[in-house]
Amino acid sequence: MAENAEKRRGEDTRATIVLSGDRPTGKLHLGHFVGTIQGRLKLQEKYRQFVMVADIQALTDNAENPEKIRENVLEVTLDNLASGIDPKHSTFFIQSLVPEIAELTVLFLNLVTVARLERNPTVKDEMRQKGYGGNVPAGFLTYPVSQAADILAPRATLIPVGKDQMPMIEQTNEIVEKFNRLYPLNPPVFERVEVFASDIPLLPGIDGKAKMSKSLNNAIYLSDSNDTIREKVMQMYTDPNHIHETDPGTVKDNVVFTYLDLFDTDQNQVRDLKNRYEKGGFGDVALKNHLIEILTAFISPIRERREYLAKRPDDVMDILRSGTEIARTVAGKTLSDVRRAMNINYF
Ligand code: TRP
């Protein structure tokens, strides 16, 4: 994936631009780290990167609660900064303060059918989860179009997101193709986009459910205290048949091992632990204690940087303010190309 982007960069005069976003509905957790932040950390070294706070998208299913979204704009930015996303390399901005994204959304909505939106697997899952029935908010149904506008406003082509976002990327590419076909310009206004590191599996929740998520109440947060980490790991789903320490245990679908695979830097040791667990004689508590050590060492420095930054909210808001200005300038340029391609640049 990244190699493709690199190749394209070599052939193309346009430099690769990276964009991803977080919904400000709560603090970020390890699932966000694995799915997105890890990719951002790698990509900010090489490419021009935008990190967006997706407040408009968050409102599509939180219209009754704008106060929650407002509070979490700061929280998700703190999580990113504390994880090492560096405003010197990455441009942070707030979605709702870039009106060009809303304008692009309106133009893109004509290129997408309602039936296609209803087939989007991520939207479908979420609609079911929220129990909308026939009463899905139109803004919610169409958020993949708005997400395409997020991506295409700064003409990003490389998107560090988790597997669950693949359907959004597919819809974005359909919009790219349709736009370029209906409104040809040379070079075309938009390029196809690709996911970075789409092979990383979704991080399961501590309960073993497929996805770590705030709404499922199965998440470990980047801001969790050591005590909370310990409590959550102790509740973690392992092997329900591994009752006595002497019993042979199962590694597959054992959440503790999934986490060790992703967070333990000593993979030889993990292999050794798996062997011992499968043989029997290695108990869940000892195994969990090891994971607690690993996760505490991983999260503590993030949490400490976060606490430091949280005492300086004005500095954080300044980062968002100046980044938003840059994003507006870039999006304005795209929109003027869009208007030119569509021949609606009247004056
Ligand atoms: N839908 C993404 C999520 O739920 C957030 C998001 C909004 C996003 N706009 C984006 C991700 C653009 C990548 C690109 O996590």
Side-chain angles (χ1 to χ4, degrees):
M1 289 283 168
E3 282 75 17
N4 282 348
E6 215 130 23
K7 222 192 304 148
R8 201 181 42 237
R9 195 184 191 194
E11 293 162 359
D12 204 307
T13 49
R14 287 182 197 170
T16 298
I17 295 176
V18 179
L19 178 138
S20 57
D22 301 302
R23 292 184 191 193
T25 52
K27 293 179 175 137
L28 302 185
H29 51 60
L30 289 175
H32 294 109
F33 192 92
V34 170
T36 304
I37 295 178
Q38 201 158 246
R40 285 178 187 153
L41 287 170
K42 285 200 192 116
L43 295 171
Q44 73 175 352
E45 307 281 328
K46 280 193 178 172
Y47 303 115
R48 170 123 203 241
Q49 169 158 265
F50 291 90
V51 176
M52 185 186 76
V53 183
D55 60 339
I56 294 280
Q57 186 173 117
L59 284 165
T60 64
D61 59 344
N62 286 282
E64 69 297 335
N65 209 352
E67 208 44 53
K68 172 173 115 186
I69 307 306
R70 190 198 163 100
E71 282 162 24
N72 284 303
V73 168
L74 181 66
E75 300 295 342
V76 300
T77 308
L78 285 171
D79 283 320
N80 274 286
L81 292 169
S83 300
I85 309 299
D86 182 349
K88 284 202 205 76
H89 295 290
S90 300
T91 303
F92 285 84
F93 72 96
I94 300 180
Q95 185 185 25
S96 65
L97 292 179
V98 182
E100 289 80 5
I101 292 176
E103 291 182 57
L104 273 182
T105 303
V106 170
L107 297 170
F108 290 165
L109 278 168
N110 299 326
L111 310 181
V112 177
T113 67
V114 173
R116 174 64 182 90
L117 286 163
E118 284 169 343
R119 277 199 306 274
N120 181 307
T122 304
V123 174
K124 231 161 117 178
D125 273 2
E126 287 172 330
M127 267 164 48
R128 201 174 318 120
Q129 224 182 68
K130 292 173 204 298
Y132 282 140
N135 296 317
V136 57
F140 185 82
L141 183 66
T142 55
Y143 92 72
V145 180
S146 154
Q147 186 157 335
D150 301 336
I151 293 169
L152 298 175
R155 284 190 264 223
T157 54
L158 192 55
I159 317 300
V161 283
K163 262 198 169 66
D164 60 317
Q165 295 294 306
M166 287 303 263
M168 304 300 160
I169 303 302
E170 266 168 47
Q171 276 217 281
T172 302
N173 280 328
E174 288 169 24
I175 291 169
V176 167
E177 302 280 342
K178 187 138 191 198
F179 187 95
N180 289 340
R181 182 156 46 79
L182 290 176
Y183 316 118
L185 210 63
N186 196 11
V189 179
F190 297 118
E191 283 181 66
R192 286 179 65 83
V193 312
E194 62 186 310
V195 169
F196 175 75
S198 59
D199 49 341
I200 295 176
L202 275 190
L203 187 70
I206 58 171
D207 54 359
K209 291 224 174 76
K211 188 178 169 178
M212 178 175 283
S213 119
K214 176 177 139 61
S215 47
L216 296 173
N217 203 16
N218 63 5
I220 297 178
Y221 291 89
L222 298 174
S223 46
D224 275 347
S225 70
N226 290 351
D227 286 346
T228 306
I229 295 169
R230 162 169 292 278
E231 265 167 44
K232 288 179 178 174
V233 173
M234 282 303 173
Q235 288 168 32
M236 228 175 227
Y237 181 86
T238 55
D239 166 5
N241 300 316
H242 189 227
I243 297 161
H244 305 290
E245 192 175 309
T246 47
D247 293 343
T250 311
V251 165
K252 194 180 166 311
D253 295 330
N254 185 319
V255 178
V256 179
F257 281 109
T258 311
Y259 281 57
L260 288 176
D261 285 342
L262 289 163
F263 292 101
D264 194 338
T265 46
D266 186 351
Q267 285 295 315
N268 285 330
Q269 180 174 238
V270 174
R271 224 165 300 133
D272 181 52
L273 289 176
K274 285 180 182 171
N275 285 335
R276 286 167 59 197
Y277 193 80
E278 280 175 333
K279 267 200 204 104
F282 187 48
D284 276 7
V285 171
L287 177 68
K288 286 179 167 178
N289 276 329
H290 178 63
L291 180 61
I292 288 165
E293 233 176 81
I294 298 287
L295 289 184
T296 306
F298 180 80
I299 289 177
S300 296
I302 298 178
R303 187 187 57 236
E304 283 157 21
R305 276 195 298 273
R306 201 184 188 288
E307 281 164 7
Y308 174 88
L309 292 162
K311 293 192 191 111
R312 293 156 182 81
D314 293 347
D315 293 354
V316 178
M317 292 318 277
D318 276 343
I319 290 168
L320 286 166
R321 191 201 322 264
S322 57
T324 300
E325 261 172 51
I326 295 170
R328 274 209 76 175
T329 307
V330 172
K333 171 81 180 60
T334 304
L335 206 71
S336 81
D337 284 356
V338 162
R339 288 179 162 279
R340 196 152 55 84
M342 295 177 71
N343 204 19
I344 54 169
N345 50 344
Y346 305 110
F347 312 114

